[in-house]
């Protein structure tokens, strides 16, 4: 992306703040005029005092002039302080507003994206978050720099340059000459430092990643007594980082010296040139200080050019990923317009093939029927494609080929929001949001009453445990155990009360008692609904009216428990392995004994 393209893209974000920008610009111009006052006053002071010395007028007149000058300088400082405050405040306000809009725009946008966007390798949650964070802060810094730093600096430099030309053409030329030289040196500096800065960024990421990993795995580290290895690993990153930091500083200081040197040469040329004019009687003595100060007003702002280069470069790098995310039009979730009055809940998959965006072919010519108002269990070894089917049924992904029909209508034609409102999904690990237990259950139906929330907690067999907590329903949901969180998720689904329910290993993380309780709640919820359950629990599988057996992305068998068991095929093998793992013989002996 080029700088002009970047500006075109940022422009719509600045539009709502036209007035703010206008005021900032006006203040910037007034500020840059005010900055030059000192130079004029100094010239006037030197000239008047030297005249007084020549004339031999008494000190009284001198004091009168000094009083006048002080009053002007004081007034100027007061005005300038107000202008600076306004300029910085408006600039900062603009930055804060635009940062807010950038964040909101990207969040609004990604919420509409389909699942494939989130699961693609380049958008894994950590990476996506880093990209969004880095790009927003870099774009915001660009806006801030432009309005708070760059613009006033350049306005000052330009006004000072005009004043130099107005004072004397040749002096103006010296001021003008320094600009391209500084540009060149600053660009060199930015290019030289960019490699260091990029490396520094990756060192920082690695370092914080490593510390996070270290904290996460502290138990393993300690139990294997690997503290030394971890400390060594950290030390080597730290050493590389220090080395890089030193190089960055060294290069920075070298360029700083070069720039100071160039600036001092400029000052010397201005002094010599002006002294020549003074001696030649073309100028007064005050012109020397006057020109030096104007020259300083030109060089001071552009001394910071390299910082601007750095930040513009950063913004160019990061903004690309920001706008890539913002403008990923092909990532939008598709939705049809079909909204039926009622849902019967019959699902048919016809010759469905499915390939994940990363190329993994997860389903091959799947044909199956899920009958309404009964439980269908999907059975198969891990990786068989069961969760993938649930993903397709919830429209998180679309089949690569083939069709999924709900009540005879292609799933693609359904309004996606309508469909999801009528489908309940309970996963092996359900997301519990930061917040209270009440808020987490209410997520199922935002307008639910307190009684309804308690009622669904009771159905999920979690109410009593909640009331035993010191803060009851106001307790932080994150602090609950895995099994309790699972039941919060089930309570959430009870509250949603959808006609179709997909359960993906809902009891995989629960203890035996909780599993039994959940089984009871599921028995209650399944009445009169279409339920698809993926499970490794024998009791849940046996309970299903219809079992679909999957192997390596294919449906290999399908029927009731009895027929499938008799068949002595894949189901028989999986079922027998499950039963053997339970050590049924011993269990039976214990129960009998
Ligand atoms: P199961 O639920 O039967 O254990 P899955 O449906 O989770 O199986 O997985 C089926 C296949 O799809 C596996 O090979 C798995 O690695 C792959 N897979 C699952 N999720 C994704 C994903 N988000 N991206 C790419 N491949 C995936």
């Amino acid at each position: 992306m080029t700088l002009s393209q970047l500006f075109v893209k940022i422009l719509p974000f600045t539009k709502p703040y036209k007035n703010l920008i206008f005021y900032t610009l006006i203040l910037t111009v007034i500020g840059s005029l005010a900055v030059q006052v000192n130079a004029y006053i100094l010239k006037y002071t030197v000239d008047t005092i030297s005249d007084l010395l020549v004339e031999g007028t008494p000190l009284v007149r001198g004091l009168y002039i000094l009083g006048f000058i002080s009053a002007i300088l004081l007034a100027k400082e007061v005005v300038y302080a107000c202008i600076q405050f306004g300029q910085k405040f408006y600039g900062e306000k603009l930055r804060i507003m635009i940062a807010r809009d950038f964040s909101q725009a990207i969040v609004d946008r990604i919420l509409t994206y389909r699942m494939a966007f989130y699961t693609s390798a380049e958008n894994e949650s950590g990476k996506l978050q880093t990209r969004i964070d880095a790009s927003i802060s870099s774009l915001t810094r660009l806006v801030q720099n432009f309005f708070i730093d760059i613009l006033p600096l350049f306005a000052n430099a330009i006004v000072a340059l005009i004043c130099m030309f107005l004072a004397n053409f040749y002096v103006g030329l010296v001021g003008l000459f320094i600009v391209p030289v500084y540009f060149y040196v600053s660009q060199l500096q930015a290019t030289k430092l960019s490699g260091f800065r990029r490396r520094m960024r990756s060192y920082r990421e690695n370092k914080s990643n490593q510390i996070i990993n270290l904290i996460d795995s502290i138990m393993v580290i300690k139990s294997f007594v690997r503290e030394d290895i971890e400390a060594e690993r950290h030390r080597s990153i730290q050493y590389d980082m220090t080395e890089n930091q030193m190089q960055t500083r060294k290069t920075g200081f070298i360029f700083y010296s070069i720039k100071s040197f160039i600036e001092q040469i400029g000052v010397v040329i201005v002094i010599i040139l002006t002294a020549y004019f003074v001696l030649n009687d073309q100028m007064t003595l005050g012109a020397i200080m006057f020109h030096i100060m104007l020259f300083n007003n030109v060089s001071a702002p552009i001394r910071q050019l390299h910082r601007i280069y750095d930040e513009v470069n950063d913004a160019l790098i990061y903004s690309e990923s920001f706008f890539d995310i913002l403008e990923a039009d092909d990532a939008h979730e598709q939705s049809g317009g079909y909204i039926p009055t009622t849902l019967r809940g019959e699902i048919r998959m016809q010759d469905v093939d499915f390939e994940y965006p990363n190329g993994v072919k997860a389903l091959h010519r799947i044909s199956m029927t899920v009958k309404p108002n009964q439980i269908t269990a999907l059975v198969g070894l891990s990786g068989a494609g069961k969760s993938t089917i649930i993903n397709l049924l919830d429209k998180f992904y679309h089949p690569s080929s083939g069709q999924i029909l709900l009540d005879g209508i292609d799933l693609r034609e359904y309004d996606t929001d309508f469909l999801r409102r009528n489908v309940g999904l309970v996963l092996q690990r359900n997301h519990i949001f930061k917040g209270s237990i009440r808020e987490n259950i209410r997520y199922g139906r935002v307008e639910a009453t307190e009684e309804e929330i308690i009622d669904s907690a009771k159905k999920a067999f979690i109410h009593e445990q909640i009331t035993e907590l010191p803060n009851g329903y106001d307790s932080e949901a994150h602090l609950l155990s895995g099994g309790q969180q699972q039941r919060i998720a089930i309570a959430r689904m009870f509250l949603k009360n959808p006609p179709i329910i997909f359960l993906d290993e809902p009891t995989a993380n629960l203890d035996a008692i909780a599993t039994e309780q959940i089984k009871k709640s599921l028995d209650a919820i399944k009445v009169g609904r279409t339920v698809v359950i993926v499970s490794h629990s024998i009791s849940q599988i046996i309970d299903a009216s219809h079992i679909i057996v999957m192997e390596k992305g294919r449906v290999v068998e399908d029927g009731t428990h009895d027929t499938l068991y008799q068949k002595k095929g894949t189901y028989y093998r999986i079922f027998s392995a499950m039963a053997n793992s339970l050590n049924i013989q011993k269990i039976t002996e214990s129960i009998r004994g």
Side-chain angles (χ1 to χ4, degrees), residues 119 356 358 360 362 381-388 397:
T119 49
Y356 277 105
N358 67 352
V360 172
L381 299 180
S382 181
K386 306 177 297 290
S387 304
T388 305
Y397 296 95

Side-chain angles (χ1 to χ4, degrees), residues 344 372-375 459 493-494 497-501 503 519-532 545:
R344 232 161 40 83
N373 302 330
Q374 66 177 45
I375 299 189
K459 284 187 192 155
M493 192 189 58
F494 272 113
N497 197 20
I500 300 173
I501 293 175
L503 305 157
K519 187 178 171 315
K520 280 191 215 150
S521 359
L522 295 180
D523 285 346
I525 203 173
K526 73 191 180 196
V527 181
R529 294 171 214 260
T530 303
V531 178
V532 177
S545 328

Side-chain angles (χ1 to χ4, degrees), residues 13 88 129 146 419 445 508 549:
F13 285 93
K88 284 206 185 319
Q129 187 231 347
F146 187 74
L419 187 79
R445 186 151 49 85
V549 186

